[in-house]
């Protein structure tokens, strides 16, 4: 028996999503097939609206429903601190902590010459341009603590030096609730180097 | 910052899918947001077609594009053997093995009185009706080897007794490539009981 064409196509399309393999895609497709029509319509409309109603903020490239995102528009944010992140999802992660009240700049990735990500493909030009019109006292680099993130952080800090702005980087150390025994050497080493006095 | 409404809705809808939590849903939503329009349209159309073009076979309740599924319609299948399974996905799994050339009957679930699944909610009536019009020599019960599956198998075998048809059940034992050391007691016990001569 050949599997019915519409099911095959649905499995194919669903398995293009990140982290969804063929087996999960098949389970999802059959789940959708057995769901009530309104439920499936809700999902379809939600995905459509995502593309129709959302775009990227023209200033910081965060997700936005208007030209400028709600953070750039807000009067309550500290406009002297800028936090540079890789992706819009990082903005959401940091906002959830309620620890940061400044502005953001989303790079759209990190430098990775082998994957074809060069400074030109990221929003670095736009970042430097913001220094002309906005008055930042501190720039916090909050990129992921991996090789690409570190390289990009170094690259950006060199670029920003001429502007005379304090450039900081989020702390590396043991995650809260983590276990020293199971942490990797690099993390423990960094945690010791960056120890703080009590 | 409140997360943009369309994104929140998309995350909400995506996390209703089985096995998709909030974090995965957020990752999927942002992936879709960053995807090209045609790619997202393909996914939406695939899901729509799933509901529009597919239905359940009127005889065996397998997935079908027509009144009868391709297996029920086929002239090449052995019409004297019937394999009873829980879900249409089980038909696909068995078809992939190319070990079975008979017909199927999809129950649509297994007996589970606590979850409200009674004999009336399954396609058991339709199964018994097939014995009047079709001529089966053997019925293979291929339900999952869990409590509900076992109970349903016993229930069905009792119901089928008056028809004088040979009722068999797929073998339980160690999975191919499995490791005896890590198998559970029940599986090892069953494998020993059901040993076959070499």
């Amino acid at each position: 028996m050949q599997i019915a064409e519409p099911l095959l196509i649905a499995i194919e399309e669903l398995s293009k999503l990140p982290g969804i393999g063929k087996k999960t895609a098949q389970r999802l497709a059959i789940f959708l097939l057995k769901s009530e029509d309104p439920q499936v319509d809700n999902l379809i409309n939600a995905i459509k609206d995502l593309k129709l109603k959302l775009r990227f903020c023209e200033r910081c490239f965060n997700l936005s429903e208007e030209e400028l995102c709600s953070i750039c528009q807000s009067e309550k944010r500290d406009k002297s601190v800028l936090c540079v992140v890789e992706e819009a999802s990082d903005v959401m992660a940091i906002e959830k902590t309620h620890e940061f009240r400044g502005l953001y700049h989303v790079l759209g990735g990190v430098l990775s010459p082998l994957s074809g990500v060069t400074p030109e493909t990221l929003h670095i030009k736009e970042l430097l341009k913001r220094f002309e019109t906005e008055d930042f006292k501190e720039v916090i680099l909050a990129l992921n603590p991996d090789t690409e993130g570190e390289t990009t952080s170094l690259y950006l800090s060199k670029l920003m030096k001429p502007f005379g702005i304090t450039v900081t980087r989020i702390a590396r150390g043991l995650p809260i609730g983590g276990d020293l025994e199971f942490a990797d050497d690099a993390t423990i080493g960094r945690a010791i180097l960056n120890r703080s006095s009590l």
Side-chain angles (χ1 to χ4, degrees), chain A:
Chain A
M1 161 204 169
Q2 67 284 31
I3 297 176
E5 187 77 8
L7 185 60
L8 264 189
I9 294 176
I11 293 174
E12 182 68 30
E13 289 300 326
L14 284 167
S15 62
K16 285 180 187 165
L17 296 173
I20 308 279
K22 285 269 168 193
K23 282 225 169 174
T24 311
Q26 181 178 314
R27 196 153 43 94
L28 293 181
I30 290 189
F31 173 85
L32 289 171
L33 196 61
K34 291 174 85 180
S35 302
E36 302 292 321
D37 280 345
Q39 219 176 322
V40 177
D41 289 343
N42 283 346
L43 176 67
I44 288 177
N45 290 333
I47 296 176
K48 271 189 190 161
D49 282 356
L50 208 55
K51 298 294 283 183
L52 281 178
K53 293 189 186 161
L54 279 187
R55 48 178 166 166
F56 294 102
C57 171
E58 294 193 356
R59 190 180 292 159
C60 77
F61 301 97
N62 183 19
L63 293 175
S64 177
E65 290 178 84
E66 294 164 64
E67 249 176 59
L68 289 184
C69 74
S70 53
I71 296 179
C72 283
Q73 280 189 39
S74 170
E75 286 302 314
K76 288 178 187 159
R77 311 289 302 204
D78 179 354
K79 293 187 191 310
S80 68
V81 196
L82 184 74
C83 181
V84 178
V85 295
E86 283 182 39
E87 302 287 355
S89 48
D90 298 327
V91 174
M92 283 185 259
I94 295 176
E95 283 297 295
K96 266 190 210 147
T97 68
H98 299 290
E99 294 285 355
F100 180 71
R101 301 296 304 157
L103 301 178
Y104 289 94
H105 190 85
V106 180
L107 286 181
V110 275
L111 292 176
S112 172
L114 288 177
S115 328
V117 185
T118 58
E120 290 74 39
T121 54
L122 301 177
H123 301 304
I124 293 180
K125 203 169 63 231
E126 292 89 342
L127 171 65
L128 299 179
K129 215 152 191 152
R130 288 181 73 174
F131 296 148
E132 296 170 13
T133 50
E134 296 172 74
D135 191 22
F136 299 120
K137 287 198 179 67
E138 181 182 354
V139 172
I140 304 173
L141 298 174
L143 307 180
N144 287 333
D146 49 21
T147 320
E148 283 92 355
E150 300 280 297
T151 314
T152 311
S153 290
L154 283 175
Y155 178 82
L156 288 178
S157 68
K158 270 187 193 162
L159 275 186
M160 287 189 273
K161 209 154 231 171
F163 294 93
I165 302 168
T166 312
V167 178
T168 58
R169 184 164 66 170
I170 51 168
R172 280 99 173 81
L174 287 170
I176 307 292
D179 195 322
L180 198 115
E181 190 182 350
F182 301 122
D184 61 296
D185 298 352
T187 302
I188 299 178
R190 199 61 80 90
I192 292 173
L193 276 179
N194 293 355
R195 65 192 178 279
S196 55
S197 58
L198 275 175

